[in-house]
Amino acid sequence: MDEEDTDGYKEPCNQCAAVDWGISDEGRFYCRSCHNVIERTREVVDMSFTSNSNRISRIGNKSRIRKSERGYIWMLCEGFQFILQNQADALLRLGVAPQFKDDVLCQMWRLYLQKSQQGYTRNPIRNLRFRGAALDSDTDMDSAAESVLSDNFTDSGSVLCSSAGSNAESSSDWLGSDYSSTGTSASWKRSRSLMTMKKTLALIHLALVWSREALTLSDLLRLVKEGHVPYVTAYEDLPEEMKLCGPDALLFHVESIPSHRSVHKEAQVLVQFLQLPAFPPIIPEALLHPAPLSLRYLTDANLPDELHRWVCVLMDRAGMADQKRHTLDGGLRPILPRYDLQAAALIIVTIKVIFGLDDHTEWDLSNKADSHDDKADMFSFRKWYKLVQAALVEAQQRRDQDTARKQWKGKKLFFVDKRDRLIVTKRRRISENVQMCLKRLSSCPAAVHYVGPSSFQFCWGDENGSDGPSLHHTKLDGVISLSNGFMTPLNLNYWHPPLRPCNPRTCVSHYPSMEPTLPRSFVWLLQLFSFMLDVEAWYLFDEVLEMERRVFGIKTPQIGQQVETRKWLRTEKTNATQTGDPVKKPRTPRKGRNGINI
Amino acid sequence: MEALDEYLGPPVVLEDESDSSDCSSRKRHKSKLPLAKSMCVEAHVESSFHKTCRICLEHVREAMLHHRWQEAAEYMASYTQVLEDRSTVKAQPDKELVWRMSTEILHHLPNATVTDYNIIYERMKHSGFKHYLMICLEHSFHLMLHGDIEAAKHQVSIAESWRHGKESVSQLQRIRLIHAYRSLLDYIMWCEKKSTLSNDNPFESDSQGMHTFFRLASTNLQEILKNPGVWDPFILCYVEMLEFYGDNEEAQKVLNHYAYDNSFPPNPNAHVYLYQFLKRHDTPDKKLMKVLKHLQVLVPSHELMLTYSCLLLQSEKESHTQKALGVLLEMLDFQCWRSNLDVWKCLHAVIHQLLQREERATSVQTQMALRNDWWPALHFTSFHAKKDLEENSELFEVKASLVEILCPGQSPRYTAEMQMLTS
């Protein structure tokens, strides 16, 4: 009676090393020779022998609409569809407009399915061969069950357009079909169209840009990190019937939050893959435009509001006020701008122009401002630095602690097959027990617990819990003077790190080698903004260099060319401000390679 | 793109979780996560999960080093997720870290109970097979220290019967240790029984149980003690038990084997135990001296050397007296005997005897020839003189009387001091 139940379990007993198992009345296994009861129970055994109903078998089979005795076999893209939905819902809960999900994300997803030939085509990919996985026996291809909707959506070019009506359909009508490789010739195409967790973020980012929501990519990644948008444990929200199985299930297993750079690259690739038409223009009122975005960062960094005017001046100069710069248009190689980095780079360049940031000028200006400050409303770099540095150190520590305490394993177990399940269950049990024991003894919460999501990293003001007093209202009188009827910064020097030719293919960033030679205030400012955006400092530094080139009108040096530095001069006459602002543009350096700070 | 291909190509990471109850150990290939091309700023690609674990570990370490045990416990509770890591490249160090650090933290938390320790030991034991034996042993030590001998014995017996394919071969040494400790626990129980034996009515005491323990322990110990090694505590238990039952021959055989067998590492304690045993059983001096001779070679500064030299002195043989001189001088070479009155007195007696026999102190001089350079500085400086006078005037006198003989003409300061102070 017990034999068939214990048949699969052939482990030797802990105490007597015999393999002679029986099942007690409560359903627990016990060793017949020494009566040692173990924790294995009959249910565990039963589960592993049920047929694979309701499991995702390896990807490659055509979907069926109805449940059969064998159970419903899901497609990979359906899983991702659920995940995308959940992510979009989370964003909607955070305040994003509903059109983002219904009009934009939905359409983009359909377009993706169409382009990768997983759905909405007349000939979805059917080939079942998939490298590494064994074939399942039910290779029944029901051609009548071909995507019902595919006939409605012919491959008539792009389906997306910015004024599309709401076509929200319930997800149960969506069908995908398999997409396994047709052979080695299509392997590149397949891998390019393969959906991954990182791609979901890229897709969402594109949809956000299209809907012109205020969420930049760094905001999105921050929300993901803090858990407000499901990502790490997204597989938990898949419906009950969908069970992960097979090597492809690992696609849903996440151990890293991708970096800004990698998601941006993915999004770039997606734009080209989907062959999207021109995006809706990023007008200056849109929150992704550098003007409002830089104001947001200025506020977060506790910089005076007056600085925004100068940021706009530089923005004009760099030709970025024009909405064309920011809008992706169709064409062969549309480039997805990095809105957040650009705004931050603009601010850094502005500060560099006004304050010098060469480890001398800004402190001299602060001294002057401090000594002339009667009404205590002048902005002093030193005061600002002290305030922000204290807050930054604390914030970095908090972030470090949060990283240390972040829990990566979800409540539901993640396993890909029978054997994996046993292993994972066992490890989970061990880890949980030890954790409970320690938690009980330390009597303190161990998990991170994030406060509500916020667009701002710091909180400046006079309330309780703020990081410090606000400097937004302070004036720049100490650093700007009136001369010839124009407001000019007192600082007339500008430095730039030495340029050198290099091969853009092999060289990624010169920052690590250059960093010791750069002025410390500049490096600190870079670190501040890279903390706020949660990107690496070298990434921001490259963007700053790029911005400087735009501001000063220098072309990107090609391989082998030396850069003419004399072009830097005499640029006031060009690029007249369109806003008619009475401020004068800051003067560019008088000599060539001036003031390179070593 | 190729990385994605690779990712989906070979099957999945599933290194077998081999633990004490799982027999199979088929290894499979690891799948590669899509690795970013290494950039100049990233030295190696580390997933965020591993980064979290690494940073958490640093926090735990910091907290432990600064004795902030509550904080360490909190971070440790977050660290346990590393045990669920799917990539098992660094699984073993993680398990060991969790085991050792958690128990250390528990030692310092005020409200840790035996149950908590049990939970942690049990769980970590079964998390892998490499550490199973060590964790069992540590668990039983812990129980022993808390007085729960039965439970400790139980743990050790479980460990004894553990088998895991070729792993048990590589852990042979540990298994021996486990056998030895099991016998030690048997001995402890035997002692407990023995104490009840002497106190209570002899008819009620459990001499049968005692015998059982004795048998268990002795069979095991006999086996263990054949292996070369340092088995001091176990030997003592064994000898004690044998003496109790009157089997002195066996005890002596065992001790001799322990002390004189060349395959065993040189162990002065072995000779000490043998000496003590022989002393207890009234052995003639000659045998004692023989044992002590071996000891002297190993540890010239041993405290038994004093006894040895007294024995030699008492024997009234010429060669022995000279030998005694050598022994004593070697003792005094060591700083620890510098102010010991007995040693100096013995030396005085020996020299006295020697001088009675010879006209000139040739033997003394030959012995001192090696030491002339440094003995005066070691024993006979004016600083020593002052100190000895303060602490122990008798010592000073004895030393002063020997100064001239031992170091002729070289340390007038010692006696000069005396003259200065007494005049």
Side-chain angles (χ1 to χ4, degrees):
Chain A
M1 176 261 301
D2 288 342
E3 300 313 324
E4 58 259 13
D5 286 332
T6 61
D7 204 24
Y9 191 61
K10 290 212 186 314
E11 321 299 352
C13 167
N14 268 348
Q15 293 187 352
C16 67
V19 184
D20 190 11
W21 297 104
I23 299 195
S24 73
D25 294 332
E26 297 118 24
R28 289 178 166 272
F29 278 50
Y30 72 95
C31 170
R32 285 214 193 96
S33 38
C34 68
H35 292 276
N36 173 32
V37 180
I38 61 171
E39 293 186 30
R40 197 183 177 81
T41 55
R42 198 186 305 158
E43 293 87 63
V44 174
V45 178
D46 281 344
M47 289 278 241
S48 53
F49 283 103
T50 49
S51 59
N52 55 349
S53 56
N54 302 335
R55 284 175 184 251
I56 285 189
S57 55
R58 84 236 65 42
I59 308 314
N61 287 330
K62 197 82 178 48
S63 68
R64 297 179 190 211
I65 307 175
R66 277 182 243 319
K67 288 192 201 239
S68 64
E69 310 90 57
R70 287 187 186 258
Y72 190 75
I73 297 172
W74 298 82
M75 297 299 118
L76 201 61
C77 53
E78 288 175 302
F80 278 112
Q81 197 167 286
F82 276 112
I83 288 180
L84 263 179
Q85 254 197 318
N86 289 333
Q87 289 174 329
D89 287 335
L91 284 171
L92 290 188
R93 277 196 295 271
L94 288 172
V96 173
Q99 289 86 351
F100 153 74
K101 176 182 172 192
D102 300 333
D103 297 340
V104 184
L105 190 59
C106 254
Q107 300 284 52
M108 278 193 182
W109 174 244
R110 285 180 198 160
L111 189 60
Y112 168 78
L113 287 176
Q114 191 177 41
K115 294 277 178 193
S116 59
Q117 297 181 319
Q118 294 173 52
Y120 302 103
T121 69
R122 291 192 191 283
N123 300 315
I125 299 176
R126 293 164 185 265
N127 195 311
L128 299 177
R129 267 186 297 125
F130 190 83
R131 210 169 7 139
L135 275 180
D136 198 18
S137 50
D138 46 340
T139 58
D140 203 9
M141 285 203 268
D142 189 3
S143 52
E146 208 175 274
S147 346
V148 167
L149 291 170
S150 64
D151 289 321
N152 298 337
F153 290 85
T154 56
D155 42 350
S156 54
S158 156
V159 180
L160 276 169
C161 72
S162 38
S163 53
S166 167
N167 281 348
E169 301 190 16
S170 71
S171 53
S172 58
D173 290 340
W174 292 24
L175 292 174
S177 57
D178 62 290
Y179 63 92
S180 35
S181 70
T182 48
T184 48
S185 57
S187 64
W188 180 73
K189 195 170 173 214
R190 166 178 66 99
S191 56
R192 197 170 62 141
S193 62
L194 214 52
M195 194 67 185
T196 57
M197 288 301 293
K198 192 163 39 164
K199 272 217 174 87
T200 59
L201 288 183
L203 201 58
I204 288 185
H205 174 57
L206 278 183
L208 284 171
V209 169
W210 185 284
S211 344
R212 293 181 288 185
E213 287 289 335
L215 282 178
T216 60
L217 183 55
S218 55
D219 291 329
L220 180 63
L221 287 174
R222 186 160 40 94
L223 289 174
V224 163
K225 260 191 202 129
E226 294 179 355
H228 302 295
V229 171
Y231 183 75
V232 175
T233 50
Y235 66 88
E236 282 184 344
D237 300 322
L238 291 175
E240 273 307 310
E241 308 82 56
M242 204 187 255
K243 298 237 185 334
L244 301 171
C245 175
D248 299 318
L250 276 184
L251 283 172
F252 293 101
H253 177 66
V254 163
E255 278 208 345
S256 271
I257 302 214
S259 66
H260 189 285
R261 183 189 155 116
S262 55
V263 178
H264 185 260
K265 253 200 218 158
E266 281 286 352
Q268 183 79 59
V269 165
L270 259 182
V271 166
Q272 290 172 314
F273 179 66
L274 296 178
Q275 291 160 359
L276 293 170
F279 273 49
I282 306 274
I283 48 181
E285 284 76 38
L287 292 167
L288 279 180
H289 190 270
L293 196 56
S294 55
L295 185 58
R296 173 182 145 193
Y297 290 148
L298 283 174
T299 317
D300 203 6
N302 206 14
L303 287 164
D305 298 333
E306 269 191 22
L307 206 53
H308 186 239
R309 211 169 1 154
W310 293 95
V311 173
C312 291
V313 164
L314 273 177
M315 192 173 63
D316 290 337
R317 188 148 197 155
M320 291 178 68
D322 187 3
Q323 65 194 31
K324 282 216 210 66
R325 265 280 181 174
H326 303 287
T327 320
L328 280 147
D329 46 359
L332 278 176
R333 312 206 69 195
I335 301 185
L336 181 68
R338 295 183 286 219
Y339 301 100
D340 34 15
L341 288 178
Q342 278 176 0
L346 251 183
I347 296 179
I348 293 180
V349 173
T350 316
I351 296 185
K352 203 167 154 192
V353 164
I354 295 191
F355 289 95
L357 283 189
D358 51 1
D359 281 342
H360 298 295
T361 324
E362 64 272 16
W363 306 116
D364 292 336
L365 287 171
S366 307
N367 290 340
K368 257 195 269 174
D370 284 338
S371 58
H372 293 336
D373 193 5
D374 311 318
K375 290 176 284 183
D377 65 344
M378 292 233 281
F379 178 76
S380 152
F381 191 88
R382 178 176 285 118
K383 238 194 308 191
W384 175 72
Y385 168 79
K386 280 190 189 161
L387 210 54
V388 173
Q389 168 69 346
L392 179 64
V393 162
E394 267 186 39
Q396 275 169 339
Q397 269 177 355
R398 267 200 308 268
R399 189 178 277 187
D400 193 46
Q401 283 177 354
D402 290 343
T403 317
R405 292 188 180 183
K406 185 171 170 65
Q407 294 295 306
W408 287 86
K409 303 291 173 185
K411 291 213 178 23
K412 270 169 68 167
L413 295 174
F414 181 89
F415 45 85
V416 297
D417 60 21
K418 246 188 325 199
R419 181 184 225 132
D420 195 31
R421 185 197 180 135
L422 291 175
I423 295 174
V424 166
T425 320
K426 188 172 121 162
R427 284 185 189 163
R428 167 60 59 103
R429 205 174 57 219
I430 293 175
S431 152
E432 225 167 48
N433 285 355
V434 176
Q435 191 181 50
M436 252 179 3
C437 183
L438 285 166
K439 264 196 199 162
R440 203 175 355 111
L441 289 173
S442 68
S443 68
C444 257
V448 187
H449 124 92
Y450 291 107
V451 290
S454 156
S455 304
F456 294 99
Q457 299 279 349
F458 299 105
C459 170
W460 304 105
D462 294 321
E463 310 92 40
N464 282 339
S466 69
D467 293 302
S470 153
L471 296 178
H472 301 130
H473 57 280
T474 52
K475 308 214 189 330
L476 289 175
D477 293 336
V479 292
I480 311 272
S481 69
L482 205 59
S483 81
N484 297 343
F486 290 109
M487 305 276 281
T488 331
L490 285 175
N491 168 48
L492 297 173
N493 288 327
Y494 192 89
W495 61 267
H496 191 278
L499 301 172
R500 61 188 105 137
C502 70
N503 186 349
R505 275 187 233 280
T506 53
C507 232
V508 178
S509 172
H510 292 291
Y511 181 69
S513 51
M514 258 199 253
E515 193 258 347
T517 63
L518 296 172
R520 294 295 98 193
S521 350
F522 178 72
V523 170
W524 178 83
L525 194 64
L526 266 184
Q527 284 170 351
L528 171 66
F529 277 96
S530 51
F531 174 80
M532 278 166 52
L533 298 177
D534 202 12
V535 293
E536 302 282 318
W538 62 265
Y539 196 38
L540 187 57
F541 179 70
D542 285 348
E543 192 68 33
V544 167
L545 289 179
E546 185 67 39
M547 185 62 59
E548 281 174 334
R549 283 195 196 106
R550 282 207 208 127
V551 167
F552 299 121
I554 309 174
K555 291 206 207 339
T556 317
Q558 299 304 307
I559 302 172
Q561 277 181 4
Q562 290 288 344
V563 172
E564 280 297 324
T565 53
R566 273 186 278 268
K567 281 195 204 139
W568 291 10
L569 307 172
R570 304 277 159 260
T571 45
E572 295 109 0
K573 308 251 170 43
T574 62
N575 299 347
T577 52
Q578 290 157 345
T579 52
D581 205 284
V583 304
K584 186 175 172 191
K585 286 172 276 302
R587 265 222 257 153
T588 46
R590 285 168 273 198
K591 299 202 277 271
R593 290 179 180 235
N594 178 24
I596 292 164
N597 266 350
I598 306 272
Chain B
M1 303 308 159
E2 303 81 279
L4 274 174
D5 267 4
E6 258 182 354
Y7 168 73
L8 288 172
V12 120
V13 168
L14 269 190
E15 203 172 83
D16 252 301
E17 178 55 21
S18 329
D19 65 332
S20 52
S21 54
D22 191 352
C23 275
S24 57
S25 54
R26 241 180 343 141
K27 271 201 171 35
R28 282 190 262 179
H29 235 52
K30 292 197 202 314
S31 82
K32 298 181 188 135
L33 295 172
L35 290 181
K37 284 205 183 44
S38 62
M39 298 182 269
C40 57
V41 283
E42 290 180 52
H44 60 277
V45 176
E46 183 188 44
S47 77
S48 307
F49 169 60
H50 289 138
K51 182 175 167 195
T52 294
C53 292
R54 178 176 51 89
I55 294 183
C56 196
L57 187 62
E58 281 168 16
H59 280 270
V60 173
R61 204 181 56 191
E62 272 302 305
M64 281 175 77
L65 283 172
H66 288 92
H67 288 232
R68 297 191 295 256
W69 300 107
Q70 288 286 337
E71 191 185 320
E74 284 164 33
Y75 279 112
M76 199 66 213
S78 309
Y79 186 65
T80 50
Q81 62 178 335
V82 79
L83 294 171
E84 297 185 59
D85 193 358
R86 290 185 71 90
S87 68
T88 48
V89 176
K90 44 187 221 57
Q92 293 307 327
D94 289 332
K95 288 177 194 160
E96 193 172 348
L97 278 169
V98 173
W99 154 40
R100 291 198 193 270
M101 287 173 116
S102 317
T103 41
E104 185 62 32
I105 292 175
L106 282 187
H107 288 332
H108 291 95
L109 286 177
N111 47 344
T113 60
V114 181
T115 340
D116 297 317
Y117 279 102
N118 282 345
I119 291 176
I120 294 207
Y121 279 128
E122 285 298 324
R123 288 284 151 246
M124 293 316 297
K125 244 190 264 190
H126 294 294
S127 70
F129 57 83
K130 280 211 163 57
H131 302 296
Y132 180 78
L133 288 176
M134 285 315 287
I135 299 184
C136 267
L137 199 56
E138 193 178 300
H139 193 184
S140 70
F141 283 164
H142 184 82
L143 291 165
M144 241 200 285
L145 286 171
H146 282 68
D148 195 353
I149 306 290
E150 296 285 339
K153 170 112 189 272
H154 179 67
Q155 284 302 322
V156 168
S157 328
I158 292 181
E160 249 188 329
S161 53
W162 180 79
R163 296 280 176 275
H164 188 96
K166 57 186 167 129
E167 196 56 38
S168 47
V169 170
S170 63
Q171 301 208 25
L172 203 55
Q173 296 293 343
R174 290 191 199 162
I175 291 185
R176 284 213 194 110
L177 201 59
I178 287 184
H179 286 321
Y181 275 102
R182 208 216 63 199
S183 334
L184 185 70
L185 285 165
D186 285 330
Y187 162 77
I188 294 179
M189 290 177 166
W190 176 87
C191 280
E192 282 174 1
K193 297 269 184 219
K194 190 175 85 151
S195 59
T196 61
L197 182 70
S198 47
N199 293 341
D200 301 336
N201 193 333
F203 291 108
E204 286 176 5
S205 59
D206 188 7
S207 58
Q208 192 56 34
M210 229 171 90
H211 278 298
T212 330
F213 285 125
F214 167 66
R215 258 203 313 276
L216 281 171
S218 58
T219 36
N220 225 359
L221 283 170
Q222 258 179 342
E223 282 307 310
I224 302 276
L225 292 170
K226 290 199 184 122
N227 300 311
V230 177
W231 303 107
D232 289 351
F234 306 104
I235 269 251
L236 284 176
C237 307
Y238 193 30
V239 165
E240 188 186 326
M241 286 197 289
L242 287 171
E243 275 186 333
F244 182 79
Y245 287 108
D247 194 354
N248 294 335
E249 257 182 50
E250 178 68 24
Q252 189 164 358
K253 202 172 98 188
V254 164
L255 281 169
N256 272 326
H257 180 73
Y258 190 51
Y260 294 121
D261 191 329
N262 282 334
S263 57
F264 279 69
N267 188 352
N269 287 337
H271 295 88
V272 172
Y273 298 151
L274 182 58
Y275 170 80
Q276 285 167 345
F277 176 78
L278 292 174
K279 193 120 199 278
R280 280 200 292 271
H281 295 277
D282 302 323
T283 344
D285 282 354
K286 223 167 135 205
K287 284 224 171 110
L288 291 176
M289 282 200 285
K290 215 167 125 203
V291 175
L292 287 174
K293 189 166 98 171
H294 284 101
L295 183 58
Q296 202 264 341
V297 171
L298 285 173
V299 187
S301 63
H302 203 278
E303 52 189 8
L304 283 177
M305 293 303 108
L306 196 48
T307 341
Y308 184 35
S309 33
C310 291
L311 283 174
L312 286 168
L313 200 53
Q314 281 164 11
S315 74
E316 304 279 342
K317 264 171 130 172
E318 169 82 32
S319 55
H320 281 184
T321 326
Q322 293 213 355
K323 183 105 185 80
L325 177 67
V327 168
L328 284 166
L329 286 177
E330 276 183 22
M331 266 183 97
L332 284 171
D333 283 342
F334 290 89
Q335 192 65 308
C336 44
W337 296 107
R338 195 176 58 79
S339 345
N340 190 304
L341 183 58
D342 297 321
V343 178
W344 284 102
K345 270 193 180 162
C346 202
L347 182 61
H348 182 88
V350 165
I351 291 189
H352 195 66
Q353 213 174 43
L354 275 177
L355 286 178
Q356 278 179 344
R357 297 208 195 117
E358 310 168 3
E359 288 308 315
R360 279 168 297 151
T362 39
S363 44
V364 177
Q365 274 167 10
T366 33
Q367 293 272 11
M368 285 305 294
L370 301 162
R371 298 176 166 89
N372 267 330
D373 299 333
W374 45 280
W375 255 57
L378 187 61
H379 291 289
F380 298 123
T381 59
S382 50
F383 169 73
H384 290 121
K386 265 194 249 175
K387 217 159 160 261
D388 292 335
L389 267 178
E390 276 169 25
E391 288 171 3
N392 194 345
S393 50
E394 214 189 320
L395 175 66
F396 182 77
E397 278 168 25
V398 174
K399 273 174 87 171
S401 60
L402 291 173
V403 154
E404 215 21 65
I405 309 170
L406 292 174
C407 311
Q410 281 187 30
S411 17
R413 287 169 171 270
Y414 200 80
T415 39
E417 197 64 34
M418 175 180 80
Q419 285 164 4
M420 225 169 48
L421 290 163
T422 53
S423 62

